[in-house]
Amino acid sequence: MNIKEAKNYIKDSVRIYLKKDAEGEYRIPIVRQRPIFLLGAPGIGKTAIMEQIAQELGIALVSYSMTHHTRQSALGLPFIMHKEYEGRSYDVSEYTMSEIIASIYDVMAESGIREGILFLDEINCVSETLAPSMLQFLQYKVFGRHQVPEGWVIVTAGNPPEYNKSVREFDVVTMDRLKILEVEADYGIWKEYARERGVHTAILNYLDMKKEDFYQVETTVRGRSYITARGWEDLSEMLTLYEEENIAVEESFVGQYLRNERVVKEFTAYYDLYRKYKNDYKVEEILSGTVSEQAKDKARKADFDERLSLMGMLIDRLQQDIKENMLASEILGEVMNPLRALKAKAEAGVGAQELLQQIGQQIEGRHKSMDSRQKAGALSVRDKRKNRSVITLLQECEKRMRQQDARDGVETFAQAKHCFEAEVEDYKQNTAQVKESMHYLFQFVEDTFGSGNEMLILVTECTVQTDCAKFISIYGCEDYQRHNEEMMLTERSDGLLEQIEALGELEI
């Protein structure tokens, strides 16, 4: 299965394991909750999906790599206890709590979240001294004498033996205690994730043309050669920062993330071309409708890889603007509810001081909720940014309310309303600008390439990218609707990308 299918399966399993009956007891007893074993090559996103699952379910996440643990740290350290049995005193060995179990209790105490996932990575690489204890743990959820708390689901992961010399094969007795998911690298699935994460357009364009370079692990005369999804994503973040700082991207830099000489050379060469295309074609001019006829003519005469790169740059820029717009919409929606509560209070005759106290409590509650989720590992980067923006806007409303030296609640609330309405007006202007950019992009593609494969790429990307599809469904786009109907995209979606790939193979 691919990583997306594995994520959905694990998410459903966690939900089922955490399901309770009418008395509040877990429907599946903890000893019957088989740990999930995610088996797959390194760097395909096993850890990433665990973070996503915890964030989407709103539960905590505690992660450990088992290669870092000795028997003592996993099971606890021995100490001597004095006990009395039938009138005689004895020295008895006891054990401190496992570091892993203690971490779960720490997270619960700090975050207030009582349910979560204990994710143990590289579980089939445990030390020889710890291996005998793993069977007991996998069956009874116990490290030493301390059990994993109720409400915590165990998910484990590991690499197949061909990728890691430290791997030890589990016996049948151990495997029979696990739900085993074997995961393989899949570029199409990773691309969906990469779009949402904002992976660099140059990387996606390159991999669209050379999908075989997405994931490779092989042994050569010079040793192990490998490329992983993790490597591409890490390279993407560094490329963005290098561009911001105007630092040259050379093979030695790319080779720090992609451990394959051929791919390093080919990607670096392509990236240089990508930068050239970016300078030759002015994205801002195209999206503002001021593109020259010379630029259109140059695009018409360009090779397939150049046209693909141009489309990638244009679509990426538009989708970034749409993502920001949709995030702003969510922020305004989150602020609207507390302001409605303030309005109701003001209209009911509540005074200014009580309104200020209430908005202060709302801000404090937001801070606590965000801090709790962050400590539990259940807050995504996007949610963190959204919550911070909501808090900032509420604080600005509070500031404006305090500037109104009045005791009347209605007058005080009016200042918060003015602050919010100014943000709404900015959002409306931004929405109109994004709609205009989308129109100009469709117009450019239609004028330059007609209804060919470039238009097919544009319509397909607008369909599959979540924020873009949502934006169009809310605000509409006549250009998209017209070309979508012409291409009957909904009926042909399974074959579209194959046609693009075939064209690329013919023209490269």
Side-chain angles (χ1 to χ4, degrees), residues 137-156:
F137 170 72
L138 295 173
Q139 183 171 6
Y140 298 108
K141 321 300 185 292
V142 172
F143 269 132
R145 296 185 62 182
H146 302 280
Q147 190 171 58
V148 174
E150 277 196 323
W152 282 77
V153 178
I154 298 168
V155 181
T156 66

Side-chain angles (χ1 to χ4, degrees), residues 487-501:
M487 296 174 178
M488 295 184 296
L489 186 65
T490 53
E491 297 179 13
R492 297 171 52 203
S493 58
D494 290 342
L496 293 180
L497 295 180
E498 287 80 354
Q499 293 178 29
I500 297 170
E501 292 169 18

Side-chain angles (χ1 to χ4, degrees), residues 53-320:
I53 291 168
Q55 291 159 8
E56 291 170 15
L57 293 179
I59 59 178
L61 175 68
V62 171
S63 298
Y64 269 96
S65 174
M66 294 307 295
T67 55
H68 300 159
H69 280 282
T70 63
R71 187 176 186 277
Q72 288 74 22
S73 62
L75 302 182
L77 293 170
F79 64 94
I80 303 300
M81 283 285 292
H82 299 288
K83 291 189 175 183
E84 187 173 300
Y85 298 106
E86 297 182 352
R88 297 186 62 180
S89 295
Y90 297 89
D91 291 334
V92 180
S93 294
E94 293 280 354
Y95 285 85
T96 58
M97 180 177 283
S98 160
E99 178 186 321
I100 297 172
I101 304 297
S103 294
I104 296 176
Y105 283 106
D106 287 341
V107 166
M108 289 195 294
E110 291 174 3
S111 69
I113 297 176
R114 307 294 298 179
E115 295 180 329
I117 298 170
L118 173 59
F119 178 58
L120 302 180
D121 199 5
E122 300 185 74
I123 196 169
N124 54 352
C125 295
V126 294
S127 65
E128 187 174 349
T129 57
L130 186 55
S133 303
M134 291 311 302
L135 178 59
Q136 180 190 27
F137 170 72
L138 295 173
Q139 183 171 6
Y140 298 108
K141 321 300 185 292
V142 172
F143 269 132
R145 296 185 62 182
H146 302 280
Q147 190 171 58
V148 174
E150 277 196 323
W152 282 77
V153 178
I154 298 168
V155 181
T156 66
N159 304 137
E162 60 266 30
Y163 296 105
N164 193 329
K165 294 179 180 178
S166 301
V167 166
R168 60 178 67 250
E169 295 280 2
F170 285 153
D171 56 31
V172 174
V173 176
T174 304
M175 297 293 276
D176 192 42
R177 264 70 177 180
L178 301 170
K179 297 170 71 171
I180 303 169
L181 306 180
E182 296 188 27
V183 186
E184 297 180 350
D186 184 318
Y187 172 64
I189 296 301
W190 181 79
K191 187 179 178 182
E192 294 178 21
Y193 162 81
R195 283 197 198 99
E196 300 300 321
R197 290 283 295 178
V199 169
H200 200 288
T201 310
I203 290 175
L204 295 181
N205 286 351
Y206 174 83
L207 291 176
D208 279 340
M209 293 183 289
K210 299 195 173 187
K211 294 179 177 57
E212 68 276 8
D213 291 347
F214 167 59
Y215 196 99
Q216 293 183 20
V217 178
E218 57 187 11
T219 302
T220 68
V221 292
R222 296 188 178 183
R224 186 62 65 95
S225 167
Y226 56 90
I227 309 167
T228 68
R230 182 192 296 123
W232 285 115
E233 188 171 358
D234 291 347
L235 175 61
S236 169
E237 293 188 9
M238 290 300 293
L239 280 177
T240 301
L241 294 173
Y242 264 49
E243 289 173 359
E244 290 178 6
E245 298 295 326
N246 293 316
I247 302 174
V249 173
E250 299 177 349
E251 287 184 13
S252 58
F253 162 74
V254 176
Q256 295 168 20
Y257 300 91
L258 310 178
R259 304 298 295 173
N260 180 295
E261 288 186 14
R262 177 189 62 79
V263 176
V264 166
K265 289 181 181 295
E266 292 183 5
F267 175 76
T268 306
Y270 172 77
Y271 180 75
D272 290 340
L273 277 176
Y274 172 87
R275 296 285 288 176
K276 178 181 180 298
Y277 301 151
K278 199 169 185 178
N279 290 328
D280 290 348
Y281 298 99
K282 308 300 181 185
V283 172
E284 295 294 340
E285 292 181 2
I286 293 173
L287 295 181
S288 64
T290 60
V291 61
S292 66
E293 286 300 322
Q294 290 86 345
K296 291 181 182 179
D297 190 54
K298 176 178 172 58
R300 291 187 192 103
K301 296 176 181 178
D303 294 334
F304 176 79
D305 64 337
E306 185 170 337
R307 284 183 274 129
L308 183 63
S309 296
L310 172 60
M311 291 303 302
M313 287 186 287
L314 291 169
I315 292 169
D316 180 64
R317 175 54 193 275
L318 176 67
Q319 290 182 347
Q320 284 180 15

